């Protein structure tokens, strides 16, 4: 049996599961909103204006949270084909470079998305009674998660999925 997960890795397991769960909820909510938009337009002949901006907002969160979890599992920003074809020491170097690329991308999304979010916050979102800066919140939060998860990969090495037996004991 493997050693139980502790500390930061266990916390990041929970954060990863939360991000994936929120992405799933966002996708389901987006589908329901789109259903309401079609129903209201073609059955009630009264298309609501809030459905499209809200669906786009939810899609942004779903995509960014899903991408962050994929970075943690090294299935996104991993450059696997080229990396896995390289011999031992070059493989390690290419893994480190891909993790650094993911970290830099996450940092850029977090900083630039956060800047856009703050700049656009006072403006009302067209069609919905929400701040327009929310359009960029998914970039900012998702970028922070990508940065965090790629730094985890840099510090701890290859992703190892939590054991099913370990989760059952908790």
């Amino acid at each position: 049996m493997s050693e139980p997960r502790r500390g930061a890795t266990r916390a990041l397991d929970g954060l990863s599961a939360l991000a994936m769960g929120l992405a799933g909820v966002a996708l389901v909510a987006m589908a329901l909103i789109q259903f309401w938009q079609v129903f209201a337009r073609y059955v009630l002949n009264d298309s609501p204006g809030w459905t499209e901006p809200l669906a786009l907002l939810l899609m942004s969160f779903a995509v960014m949270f899903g991408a962050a979890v994929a970075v943690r599992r090294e299935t996104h920003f991993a450059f696997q084909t080229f990396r896995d074809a390289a011999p031992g020491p070059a493989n390690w170097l290419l893994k480190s470079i891909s993790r650094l690329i993911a970290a830099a991308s996450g940092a850029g999304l977090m900083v630039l998305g956060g800047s856009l979010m703050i700049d656009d916050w006072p403006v009302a979102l067209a069609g919905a009674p929400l701040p327009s800066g929310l359009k960029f919140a998914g970039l900012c939060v998702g970028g922070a998660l990508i940065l965090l998860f790629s730094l985890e990969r840099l510090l701890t090495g290859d992703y190892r999925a939590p054991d099913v037996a370990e989760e059952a004991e908790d």
Side-chain angles (χ1 to χ4, degrees):
M1 188 157 112
S2 64
E3 183 177 319
R5 293 163 92 82
R6 292 193 188 0
T9 300
R10 189 178 178 122
L12 291 175
D13 286 342
L15 183 59
S16 177
L18 176 65
M20 189 58 84
L22 290 173
V25 168
L27 285 174
V28 170
M30 187 175 69
L32 292 172
I33 288 169
Q34 289 303 106
F35 169 79
W36 177 251
Q37 181 180 23
V38 170
F39 179 81
R41 180 175 184 178
Y42 293 108
V43 176
L44 303 177
N45 200 25
D46 184 22
S47 185
W50 58 267
T51 54
E52 183 180 347
L54 192 56
L56 290 173
L57 179 67
L58 290 169
M59 182 176 63
S60 172
F61 275 98
V63 166
M64 291 304 297
F65 285 1
V69 172
V71 165
R72 183 167 194 252
R73 295 178 182 176
E74 294 194 301
T75 56
H76 188 48
F77 277 121
F79 313 106
Q80 293 170 338
T81 304
F82 184 61
R83 182 194 71 201
D84 292 344
N91 184 292
W92 175 86
L93 179 64
L94 291 173
K95 279 184 184 181
S96 297
I97 290 171
S98 70
R99 291 167 180 166
L100 286 169
I101 290 170
S105 299
L109 288 168
M110 178 183 70
V111 170
L112 297 174
S115 176
L116 289 169
M117 181 179 68
I118 291 167
D119 287 346
D120 216 21
W121 198 267
V123 179
L125 186 64
L130 297 169
S132 187
L134 278 176
K135 294 184 298 189
F136 304 107
L139 284 177
C140 182
V141 176
L145 289 173
I146 288 171
L147 174 61
L148 179 65
F149 291 150
S150 58
L151 290 176
E152 177 198 17
R153 292 282 67 83
L154 271 170
L155 297 173
T156 64
D158 293 342
Y159 175 72
R160 185 179 61 85
D163 294 335
V164 176
E166 180 183 315
E167 288 180 352
E169 291 174 6
D170 294 336

